[in-house]
Amino acid sequence: GENVEQHPSTLSVQEGDSAVIKCTYSDSASNYFPWYKQELGKRPQLIIDIRSNVGEKKDQRIAVTLNKTAKHFSLHITETQPEDSAVYFCAARLLSGGYQKVTFGTGTKLQVIP
Amino acid sequence: NAGVTQTPKFQVLKTGQSMTLQCAQDMNHNSMYWYRQDPGMGLRLIYYSASEGTTDKGEVPNGYNVSRLNKREFSLRLESAAPSQTSVYFCASSEWVAAFFGQGTRLTVV
């Protein structure tokens, strides 16, 4: 099965700085990589995703990069703001036997210091 | 369009009691999941259902059972609750895009 590792587990940055969260996956058959943001006491919500046929995707201050050869992908947040403080999860989707399964990383708690 | 709906939102059980967490999605997704999230921890997969009529164990299935009642509904049952099952439980569903989560059930076993 798929295994997703996520680093770092906690990250503190000054407001306005950039934040980078990295994930690696084990199964080269995984082909879709979403990122979730979970605010305190709320459900995880999708913020950006990338498919395996794309190397980079950007949405305003958020970007995700994918290196299929190395089997790792990263979330980049630029010009961080206090409202970016949350726990971020990466995930990898594997298609197996015609079915799909999503495996999550262990999460990164991001703190943006005003 | 409600997305993924979980009930109840909060529950307190005594050790040994049983209960069923309900989950329903209206997005016509084939895959559904149950996760638990302990304080400060990530999402651990309990069970998942790749399609109607199929269920498979995830990372932490002990003490739980599931039923995929139909395409919309996927329930999680605790037959004899234990304090170690105190957690927040999330149901999720997905198709060919990312998983969508329910609002969570905060379960306390005393």
Side-chain angles (χ1 to χ4, degrees):
Chain A
E2 177 63 276
N3 181 48
V4 177
E5 294 190 358
Q6 183 172 346
H7 300 280
S9 57
T10 60
L11 179 60
S12 291
V13 299
Q14 291 291 137
E15 182 177 358
D17 287 350
S18 295
V20 180
I21 302 170
K22 299 181 179 181
C23 290
T24 61
Y25 61 99
S26 60
D27 197 322
S28 57
S30 289
N31 65 352
Y32 175 73
F33 307 91
W35 284 88
Y36 291 84
K37 177 183 181 182
Q38 186 179 29
E39 296 175 343
L40 190 62
K42 297 190 176 180
R43 75 186 84 185
Q45 295 204 309
L46 177 72
I47 55 171
I48 195 168
D49 55 11
I50 191 167
R51 299 183 186 276
S52 58
N53 59 348
V54 175
E56 184 175 358
K57 183 177 179 181
K58 196 171 182 179
D59 182 4
Q60 299 183 340
R61 296 186 297 108
I62 295 174
V64 58
T65 58
L66 171 65
N67 183 325
K68 284 177 58 179
T69 303
K71 289 190 282 188
H72 67 70
F73 56 113
S74 300
L75 178 71
H76 304 254
I77 306 174
T78 58
E79 301 172 27
T80 53
Q81 301 169 3
E83 53 264 37
D84 294 329
S85 296
V87 178
Y88 292 81
F89 293 97
C90 63
R93 186 193 70 187
L94 177 66
L95 292 176
S96 176
Y99 302 118
Q100 61 165 331
K101 184 179 175 184
V102 178
T103 303
F104 284 86
T106 50
T108 297
K109 184 175 182 179
L110 173 65
Q111 181 183 21
V112 179
I113 304 166
Chain B
N1 188 338
V4 181
T5 303
Q6 279 181 245
T7 55
K9 290 184 180 180
F10 301 94
Q11 183 72 49
V12 179
L13 289 178
K14 293 182 179 179
T15 298
Q17 286 185 318
S18 63
M19 79 162 294
T20 300
L21 280 64
Q22 306 287 352
C23 176
Q25 51 95 4
D26 61 5
M27 296 174 284
N28 203 36
H29 288 170
N30 278 301
S31 300
M32 296 187 74
Y33 312 81
W34 276 105
Y35 292 91
R36 62 176 287 174
Q37 186 175 36
D38 299 320
M41 301 283 286
L43 296 155
R44 292 191 291 170
L45 182 64
I46 305 171
Y47 271 93
Y48 74 100
S49 171
S51 66
E52 183 179 354
T54 68
T55 60
D56 285 283
K57 295 179 180 179
E59 183 184 352
V60 287
N62 292 344
Y64 305 95
N65 284 300
V66 291
S67 295
R68 184 72 184 268
L69 305 170
N70 47 54
K71 192 171 186 179
R72 289 187 64 250
E73 298 172 290
F74 187 38
S75 62
L76 178 71
R77 182 160 179 85
L78 286 71
E79 290 290 351
S80 179
S84 61
Q85 294 178 305
T86 293
S87 190
V88 178
Y89 292 83
F90 287 101
C91 175
S93 73
S94 69
E95 194 58 40
W96 301 112
V97 290
F100 292 88
F101 286 84
Q103 75 271 32
T105 296
R106 188 173 296 274
L107 175 67
T108 302
V109 183
V110 298

